[in-house]
Amino acid sequence: MRLLLLRDKKPGHFHQVEGIAMALDRAVGAEVRRIDIRPKWFAHDDVRKFCLRRYGRANPAVWLERLYGITPEEVGQPDVVVTSGRPTIGAGIYIARMTGAKLVYAGRATGYPYDDFTLMLIPFPRNDGEFRQVYGPIPCAIDPDRLPKPPEFSGPADLAGKRLSLFIGGDSFTHTYTEADWQAIGDLVVATSAQYGVRWNVSTSRRTQEAVVDRFAAMKSRGEIDIFIDYRVKGSGSAEDLFAADAIVITEDSQTMIAEGLAAGRRVVGLKPADAKKSLNDETVSALIGEGSLAVVPIATMTAERFVEKLTAIRTPVKDPRDEIARIVLKAVR
């Protein structure tokens, strides 16, 4: 199977594209090519949608080059085009129209013609079965086969010496963190270390505010954290080794981080700020909680005891999401 991956600048998007490719390659073998999608300066989302509606069917190759600077020679003849992120949608549609390739999108391509897509792999159970949409795991580039199996633990006494990795995000469209939230998260690290013998690794991300990065860097310098990864210095992919921890803790603003923790075969605890707006993402999180390996703890009422209660009540994931992703995609494209 010849795959063409279209990647925008956001790690959360291109990791989903890579995750679908990983699942397909594992299942049936794949020849993978990649194109980084960078629309030209004038080709913002509204322009891209207008050109697709008005001109795109007659001359897809022309508009692919005008809006994205991509030539037919660069595209080749893929069997399946895999995309994620709004900048990649138009390019994927043009390429599918031009080559006849199947078009797979991770997410919902709202505002674009759905009949151009072979499949939209969505994380919202309520929309499963709508036109071209199938509910499934959020793809990611984590390979659990490269990680040690996590130990089982069922109560507070089992946590001594266990290593937890904390992945810190930041403010998003749905989540806003206060100074009190960050203080409470730092206090949780210190308290669980003192009371339960837990050891911590911490990584920041592209959304993490400077002051928050500095806060946790200071904790590392005081010996309260074993490993600290500063995204500002290390960049995307630098925290992959942290998925080898015994469990994963994340700030709840990132569905990608939740998916990565579960794909790594780890229990995951999400830390939720009080200022979390309702969105479709709540449905995704609720569905994952129901599967038994994810818990969410409100930061405002969080204590070390409550956190440990939640962590020890959930279980290690038993399914590899790559199996389900491959099954869904292959059913659509074959």
Side-chain angles (χ1 to χ4, degrees):
M1 180 177 290
R2 293 168 297 185
L3 303 181
L4 177 61
L5 312 186
L6 305 185
R7 300 165 32 120
D8 72 5
K9 292 181 179 180
K10 292 185 178 180
H13 293 157
F14 66 70
H15 286 164
Q16 291 194 47
V17 170
E18 295 289 349
I20 291 175
M22 179 190 296
L24 293 176
D25 185 45
R26 177 172 173 265
V28 297
E31 175 188 319
V32 180
R33 294 178 57 248
R34 298 166 177 83
I35 297 178
D36 290 334
I37 299 299
R38 305 293 184 264
K40 293 187 176 180
W41 66 268
F42 62 87
H44 54 74
D45 197 41
D46 288 339
V47 169
R48 298 194 299 266
K49 285 189 285 190
F50 174 79
C51 292
L52 269 170
R53 289 193 301 267
R54 188 70 177 269
Y55 309 112
R57 291 203 179 274
N59 298 294
V62 170
W63 290 97
L64 179 67
E65 187 164 3
R66 285 183 180 176
L67 298 178
Y68 296 92
I70 298 171
T71 66
E73 291 73 26
E74 293 176 84
V75 170
Q77 190 61 51
D79 299 312
V80 180
V81 180
V82 185
T83 72
S84 182
R86 297 194 70 78
T88 70
I89 296 173
I93 291 173
Y94 287 131
I95 292 171
R97 290 176 180 177
M98 187 174 69
T99 64
K102 307 291 187 179
L103 180 56
V104 174
Y105 184 73
R108 297 182 79 191
T110 52
Y112 285 85
Y114 282 14
D115 58 348
D116 279 295
F117 292 86
T118 307
L119 169 70
M120 282 180 266
L121 181 64
I122 59 169
F124 314 118
R126 181 173 54 181
N127 301 104
D128 183 40
E130 292 186 9
F131 185 62
R132 303 291 166 88
Q133 299 175 59
V134 178
Y135 169 70
I138 298 172
C140 65
I142 298 298
D143 182 355
D145 296 334
R146 299 176 59 185
L147 301 171
K149 291 190 178 298
E152 293 299 330
F153 47 88
S154 58
D158 298 331
L159 292 180
K162 296 296 187 296
R163 186 177 296 276
L164 306 184
S165 287
L166 169 62
F167 292 86
I168 298 173
D171 292 347
S172 66
F173 178 74
T174 56
H175 290 63
T176 302
Y177 297 88
T178 65
E179 168 65 21
D181 290 328
W182 296 121
Q183 181 64 52
I185 293 172
D187 290 345
L188 176 72
V189 170
V190 174
T192 50
S193 295
Q195 294 175 226
Y196 301 99
V198 172
R199 302 169 64 188
W200 286 88
N201 308 321
V202 177
S203 176
T204 61
S205 72
R206 65 181 180 84
R207 277 208 300 264
T208 312
Q209 298 172 358
E210 296 284 326
V212 177
V213 177
D214 293 341
R215 175 192 293 274
F216 285 91
M219 293 180 67
K220 165 62 176 172
S221 68
R222 294 194 296 268
E224 296 165 343
I225 293 169
D226 283 3
I227 299 172
F228 176 68
I229 296 177
D230 184 343
Y231 184 91
R232 299 174 301 184
V233 177
K234 300 293 186 179
S236 177
S238 57
E240 288 186 4
D241 290 346
L242 269 59
F243 287 101
D246 300 317
I248 303 296
V249 183
I250 58 98
T251 54
E252 200 213 30
D253 52 278
S254 174
Q255 288 188 77
T256 297
M257 290 193 295
I258 293 174
E260 289 174 339
L262 294 172
R266 268 60 185 169
R267 309 178 193 210
V268 178
V269 177
L271 306 180
K272 178 183 177 182
D275 189 355
K277 299 177 178 65
K278 292 184 178 180
S279 72
L280 276 175
N281 294 344
D282 296 338
E283 185 178 341
T284 302
V285 172
S286 295
L288 292 173
I289 289 173
E291 293 180 7
S293 298
L294 170 69
V296 172
V297 178
I299 297 172
T301 57
M302 180 173 62
T303 63
E305 292 78 11
R306 178 64 171 156
F307 170 82
V308 166
E309 178 185 346
K310 286 281 193 177
L311 173 62
T312 55
I314 55 178
R315 63 177 182 270
T316 301
V318 295
K319 296 180 180 179
D320 189 329
R322 296 176 298 180
D323 295 332
E324 181 67 1
I325 291 167
R327 184 192 69 79
I328 291 170
V329 176
L330 289 172
K331 183 178 179 181
V333 303
R334 281 180 162 173

